[in-house]
Amino acid sequence: MLLLALKIVLTPAIVVATSLAGRRFGPAVSGWLVGLPLMSGPITFFFALEHGQRFAARASVGSLSGTLGEGAFCAGWAVLAARGRWWRPLAGASACFAAVALLVEALPLDERLPSPLLPLGVASVAALVVLLRLLPHPPADVAAAALPPTWDLTGRAVVATVILLTLTAVADVLGARLAGLLAVYPLYTAVLAGFAQRNEGGAAAIRVLRGLLLGLFAFVAFYLVLAAALSRIGLGAAFALATGAALGVHAVSLWPLRHERTRRLPPTTAAADA
């Protein structure tokens, strides 16, 4: 019940906060923020409390391997971003995530070091680097966006909460590894990119995805450290160590994020350039 309450409270708060950050600083910043394990981290903590640290360590491996699925999500969306309305890239990206997640789920992975946990971390980082080079890089200067409808923030919060509760209900019967993978379905990214594509077009959605890829380096650091530490040190120490690693990596990613920021041109300038 406590975990359910946490999800209901945190999900709309995270979606609204990151959406407002995107309006202020550009879509890439909202994607960068949700790259942190803002929801999956607390879920893993409750896994440890309810099922033990061994279960949480295995779920952490599933979450880490889910990074590859999130990369596939970004690639699928980027391919379809220019083709039709928001639901087409969302469906294609989700299918790419599911395909990669199921493939990774079939691999014999556990929380042991140095194999296969370390190679999985290296593969995740390599995938993020490659995707950042392959995804389109929209220009920094963009026309001022039209004001979103009044229901925009409420709609984002409601959609994200409903999807999250649905995924949680399914994950409860699937075991630790698959539960960990579902916990890292890029729900917030799907909502942010979907609304960005609907309101501003495919380029805005791509900016969200590029921001996410930068944020996922911190995500990889969090779960790589957590999966290794949970079976070796206490619960509090493991989460403190993983959180410190994630925040350190996230701070470093601020530098490349500067190049993803957008500059909104005033309407008169945008019209003149057109």
Side-chain angles (χ1 to χ4, degrees):
M1 183 62 67
L2 182 59
L3 182 55
L4 178 62
L6 179 70
K7 293 174 182 178
I8 293 175
V9 171
L10 280 184
T11 297
I14 292 170
V15 169
V16 170
T18 53
S19 297
L20 291 175
R23 291 183 185 180
R24 175 65 179 84
F25 301 107
V29 173
S30 62
W32 176 75
L33 288 172
V34 297
L36 286 167
L38 299 172
M39 180 59 72
S40 61
I43 289 175
T44 305
F45 182 79
F46 279 97
F47 280 166
L49 291 179
E50 295 175 0
H51 305 290
Q53 291 184 209
R54 175 78 175 179
F55 182 95
R58 294 184 60 216
S60 297
V61 175
S63 296
L64 177 61
S65 60
T67 307
L68 300 174
E70 296 201 41
F73 180 95
C74 293
W77 194 300
V79 169
L80 298 172
R83 301 181 183 179
R85 304 181 66 179
W86 61 268
W87 60 268
R88 289 184 178 177
L90 174 60
S94 298
C96 290
F97 173 87
V100 172
L102 290 174
L103 176 62
V104 174
E105 168 63 15
L107 299 177
L109 303 177
D110 59 34
E111 72 277 12
R112 293 173 301 168
L113 276 174
S115 175
L117 187 55
L118 189 58
L120 181 59
V122 172
S124 298
V125 170
L128 296 178
V129 172
V130 170
L131 285 168
L132 279 169
R133 294 185 63 87
L134 292 180
L135 256 64
H137 201 305
D141 294 326
V142 297
L147 290 176
T150 55
W151 53 263
D152 182 76
L153 288 178
T154 302
R156 295 181 187 215
V158 170
V159 168
T161 303
V162 169
I163 296 176
L164 178 68
L165 294 177
T166 302
L167 290 176
T168 302
V170 173
D172 285 342
V173 298
L174 296 179
R177 283 270 308 283
L178 199 51
L181 281 170
L182 284 179
V184 298
Y185 172 77
L187 168 62
Y188 300 138
T189 306
V191 173
L192 293 172
F195 276 81
Q197 175 124 6
R198 179 189 180 279
N199 295 336
E200 302 182 58
I206 295 297
R207 293 186 185 95
V208 172
L209 301 178
R210 291 188 60 85
L212 171 69
L213 292 173
L214 286 173
L216 284 176
F217 286 102
F219 184 94
V220 170
F222 179 85
Y223 279 110
L224 186 62
V225 172
L226 186 63
L230 272 174
S231 59
R232 291 165 176 81
I233 60 178
L235 179 61
F239 271 86
L241 189 62
T243 300
L247 292 178
V249 172
H250 213 51
V252 172
S253 68
L254 274 171
W255 177 256
L257 182 69
R258 296 172 60 211
H259 302 292
E260 304 292 340
R261 294 272 301 273
T262 53
R263 296 183 295 271
R264 302 287 187 183
L265 300 177
T268 53
T269 305
D273 290 345

